[in-house]
Amino acid sequence: MASIVSITGTISGVVNEQYFGGFENDEKKLARLSKNKSIGRQGLTITNVATRPPPPSVTTSTPAHHDQLEGLVKAENLPTKLAAWRSIRRERWEGELVIEGEIPMWLKGTYLRNGPGMWHVGDYNFRHLFDGYATLVRLYFEDGRLIAGHRQIESEAYKAARKNNKICYREFSEVPKPDNFLSYVGELANLFSGASLTDNANTGVIMLGDGRVVCLTETIKGSIQINPDTLETIGRFEYSDKWGGLIHSAHPIVTSTDFWTLLPDLIRPGYMVARMAAGTNERKVVGRVDCRGGPAPGWVHSFPVTDHYVIVPEMPLRYCAQNLLKAEPTPLYKFEWHPESKAFMHVMCKASGKIVASVEIPLYVTFHFINAYEEKDEDGRVRAVIADCCEHNADTTILDKLRLQNLRSFAGQDVLPDARVGRFRIPLDGTPHGTLEAALDPDEHGRGMDMCSINPAYLGKQYRYAYACGAQRPCNFPNTLTKIDLVKKKAKNWCDPGAIPSEPFFVARPGATEEDDGVVISMISDKNGEGYALMLDGSTFEEIARAKFPYGLPYGLHGCWVPKD
């Protein structure tokens, strides 16, 4: 088991001063607005402004800069103004934003969001949302002010593309184009060793229990430590254990003391459940789950935990070695759909590593689990585990719907596959089957559901509220923010017509006693090619503040909160 073989300061000082030239009049104007507390959109008061105005919109022409990517900054010829699916035009920027409304004074810290922000190399456009080179966005809150910035993660894949003006590592749907047959053979050899797999950490960002901040993706080598204050890339996060492996869950479970992850095993289909203590780099395997279906483990992009258990999903959307070898992607990319292999959920004891339940459940497709908790009887004994996820009605077409061509060519038709809050009930009494049902009427959130967050104090515990992206139909992508009430089975929805919001991230108010007492943060790409940071009240789900970016930001995936010391 020692070798698990698997698939798959400020930044502004760095930015050239010419970006800020010629804006003296705008600066005076903004200062005057701040002094007069002018009334902004929706009656929100503009309370703070940039002391130094931001650069012009990224849709305008700007001078070249030595830190920009020469071949990577060519704008794609896209038919829409929406910045969500366009590459970021600059490698980095930082500045203070104008705020409309009021940011709570208690909100002190840094929100980091990671995601694919560069979808082309030279004249070549990437095919899939998940391919893009990682862009970190930072929102720093203190004393009601907001400083924003972004920066590319300096992965080896990104640096090689910048140097060679071409793709050099295998991304989600992209394969380097070999110069000849021998280079193709060599590239295949590098695939089996893991050398050609990307380290493009474009999926998530987490803060470990000891304060280190790490960006992640599906490949283990794509674990990269960054500085949350400057967004500088520190270097690869090296695991000091013997377990090796090529891939892991892109979403580990992180607390102040633990880091839990799943390591899929392709040779003997199954999963290793591993724990890493805070302050270390050593993963220790707690136990193993053997797959009950086949021919390979199911995709484990994420998984849930409870106070005492790790829940290991075995989805019939399974890893596929043959698809990984292909130069051109299939509709399911690195996976295959095997409904005949059935679907299962396994429950492992955190303390002993023993499997306490392994049940068959209805077929399902999910990227993201929301939360899980233990269901107890009147005597306090655990009788079942409840696990909630963003479930796509066992419809695998959602993967191909995320091709950039589909996202950029929306013509008004309702083409987003339906999704729901899927609720699994996994009995612990030896019953061989579990259940999967909708936790509330999917029409409450427009039959769209993904990119979720909860109050972190309720991780692994019975909870009531979740925040996610829903849908206002017709659409081709989740386009609303929604607050789910799992007790009343209702949803509140926020929408800016024509805009694309990123994951709503909940930050609890210090000392709060109510589960939804806090602020929800999201970044919005609006229909005019611009964007803004949005703050909603976690309880009422009403807008309390927004801050416009000086440029349109690409769509991002997942974030984390780094509190101020």
Side-chain angles (χ1 to χ4, degrees):
M1 289 193 297
S3 176
I4 303 174
V5 182
S6 312
I7 295 183
T8 33
T10 69
I11 303 171
S12 57
V14 194
V15 180
N16 195 309
E17 290 292 327
Q18 61 190 334
Y19 286 160
F20 298 99
F23 289 94
E24 292 84 359
N25 292 335
D26 287 341
E27 183 170 6
K28 293 177 181 178
K29 180 179 178 181
L30 289 171
R32 184 169 63 256
L33 287 174
S34 177
K35 181 178 180 181
N36 295 336
K37 285 187 175 290
S38 301
I39 301 300
R41 182 187 296 105
Q42 299 179 0
L44 299 176
T45 303
I46 300 177
T47 58
N48 293 307
V49 298
T51 56
R52 190 180 202 183
S57 168
V58 293
T59 57
T60 63
S61 177
T62 56
H65 179 254
H66 69 276
D67 277 328
Q68 289 182 304
L69 303 181
E70 296 176 357
L72 302 184
V73 295
K74 296 180 181 179
E76 307 96 321
N77 183 22
L78 303 180
T80 176
K81 292 182 178 180
L82 192 65
W85 318 124
R86 294 174 179 266
S87 292
I88 195 78
R89 302 300 200 272
R90 298 187 185 126
E91 197 174 34
R92 62 190 70 173
W93 177 80
E94 182 178 85
E96 186 170 354
L97 301 185
V98 178
I99 298 170
E100 299 181 20
E102 291 190 12
I103 295 175
M105 297 299 287
W106 60 260
L107 190 64
K108 297 181 179 181
T110 299
Y111 170 64
L112 298 172
R113 191 198 72 178
N114 192 10
M118 179 79 65
W119 286 298
H120 65 288
V121 177
D123 294 324
Y124 181 77
N125 289 322
F126 293 172
R127 288 176 278 208
H128 200 276
L129 170 65
F130 298 160
D131 285 325
Y133 295 118
T135 301
L136 273 174
V137 181
R138 177 178 182 261
L139 301 178
Y140 176 69
F141 298 87
E142 186 173 19
D143 299 329
R145 300 169 63 192
L146 175 55
I147 297 174
H150 82 264
R151 187 166 183 159
Q152 301 298 122
I153 295 177
E154 297 277 339
S155 65
E156 293 302 317
Y158 174 74
K159 290 188 292 185
R162 179 173 58 185
K163 177 181 179 181
N164 299 291
N165 205 30
K166 66 178 182 178
I167 299 167
C168 299
Y169 291 83
R170 285 178 174 254
E171 305 296 337
F172 181 78
S173 76
E174 300 291 345
V175 176
K177 300 299 185 287
D179 297 324
N180 51 54
F181 178 74
L182 288 179
S183 65
Y184 171 71
V185 173
E187 202 276 331
L188 285 182
N190 286 335
L191 170 62
F192 287 110
S193 71
S196 71
L197 291 180
T198 187
D199 66 339
N200 176 24
N202 68 357
T203 304
V205 55
I206 58 173
M207 186 182 76
L208 300 176
D210 60 4
R212 290 178 294 175
V213 176
V214 179
C215 296
L216 299 167
T217 189
E218 303 265 338
T219 64
I220 292 176
K221 66 189 289 190
S223 302
I224 296 178
Q225 187 178 349
I226 61 99
N227 183 319
D229 297 321
T230 66
L231 302 186
E232 289 179 293
T233 299
I234 294 174
R236 183 176 298 178
F237 184 90
E238 299 283 359
Y239 297 95
S240 61
D241 52 71
K242 63 181 180 180
W243 297 106
L246 301 181
I247 59 173
H248 58 178
S249 170
H251 294 282
I253 301 294
V254 183
T255 69
S256 60
T257 58
D258 296 321
F259 169 104
W260 292 90
T261 189
L262 298 183
L263 306 173
D265 184 349
L266 187 68
I267 300 301
R268 294 191 302 124
Y271 314 89
M272 311 297 286
V273 177
R275 173 186 175 271
M276 184 173 71
T280 76
N281 289 40
E282 183 181 3
R283 300 164 298 179
K284 295 183 178 180
V285 170
V286 174
R288 175 186 168 90
V289 173
D290 291 321
C291 288
R292 292 180 56 183
W299 187 22
V300 284
H301 185 71
S302 68
F303 64 98
V305 300
T306 69
D307 281 343
H308 300 99
Y309 304 111
V310 175
I311 293 83
V312 180
E314 185 182 340
M315 196 163 49
L317 183 62
R318 299 180 180 273
Y319 297 101
C320 177
Q322 291 84 354
N323 284 354
L324 181 62
L325 293 172
K326 293 177 180 177
E328 293 297 318
T330 69
L332 292 182
Y333 301 91
K334 314 307 181 193
F335 313 104
E336 279 187 337
W337 181 241
H338 288 278
E340 75 287 350
S341 71
K342 302 181 181 179
F344 305 92
M345 294 287 275
H346 312 279
V347 180
M348 178 182 289
C349 175
K350 286 181 177 178
S352 68
K354 293 182 179 178
I355 300 171
V356 300
S358 180
V359 302
E360 181 184 343
I361 52 173
L363 302 181
Y364 67 99
V365 169
T366 184
F367 299 161
H368 300 116
F369 280 86
I370 303 172
N371 196 22
Y373 61 90
E374 297 159 16
E375 181 184 84
K376 299 180 179 179
D377 61 21
E378 58 275 8
D379 297 321
R381 291 172 297 195
V382 179
R383 61 185 180 187
V385 167
I386 305 299
D388 295 337
C389 72
C390 303
E391 204 277 307
H392 298 279
N393 294 298
D395 183 356
T396 61
T397 61
I398 182 62
L399 263 177
D400 210 41
K401 293 296 184 183
L402 297 180
R403 283 187 297 130
L404 290 167
Q405 179 182 354
N406 294 336
L407 299 176
R408 291 167 175 167
S409 59
F410 179 57
Q413 293 87 0
D414 190 25
V415 294
L416 177 69
D418 287 355
R420 58 181 176 168
V421 179
R423 171 158 287 185
F424 300 96
R425 186 178 186 276
I426 309 165
L428 301 186
D429 61 1
T431 303
H433 293 85
T435 60
L436 170 59
E437 299 175 344
L440 76 164
D441 185 347
D443 284 329
E444 283 286 323
H445 47 81
R447 305 185 317 282
M449 179 56 45
D450 215 337
M451 311 304 289
C452 47
S453 72
I454 63 169
N455 184 329
Y458 289 78
L459 175 68
K461 305 179 186 300
Q462 189 163 357
Y463 71 117
R464 178 173 179 175
Y465 301 111
Y467 302 90
C469 290
Q472 185 176 84
R473 306 282 178 161
C475 60
N476 68 338
F477 193 81
N479 58 1
T480 71
L481 298 174
T482 184
K483 177 186 179 181
I484 301 294
D485 186 331
L486 293 165
V487 173
K488 291 187 176 180
K489 300 187 180 300
K490 292 290 183 180
K492 293 181 180 179
N493 298 291
W494 177 96
C495 183
D496 180 355
I500 298 295
S502 67
E503 174 187 69
F505 191 88
F506 180 84
V507 180
R509 182 179 65 82
T513 57
E514 298 297 325
E515 182 181 345
D516 58 351
D517 185 357
V519 168
V520 175
I521 302 170
S522 180
M523 298 187 195
I524 314 297
S525 298
D526 71 20
K527 62 184 177 183
N528 298 316
E530 299 176 335
Y532 54 93
L534 176 73
M535 280 66 72
L536 302 176
D537 184 285
S539 177
T540 66
F541 216 54
E542 297 293 329
E543 179 176 335
I544 58 175
R546 67 169 64 186
K548 185 178 179 180
F549 292 111
Y551 50 86
L553 280 171
Y555 179 77
L557 295 175
H558 303 286
C560 77
W561 179 253
V562 180
K564 181 176 174 59
D565 295 335

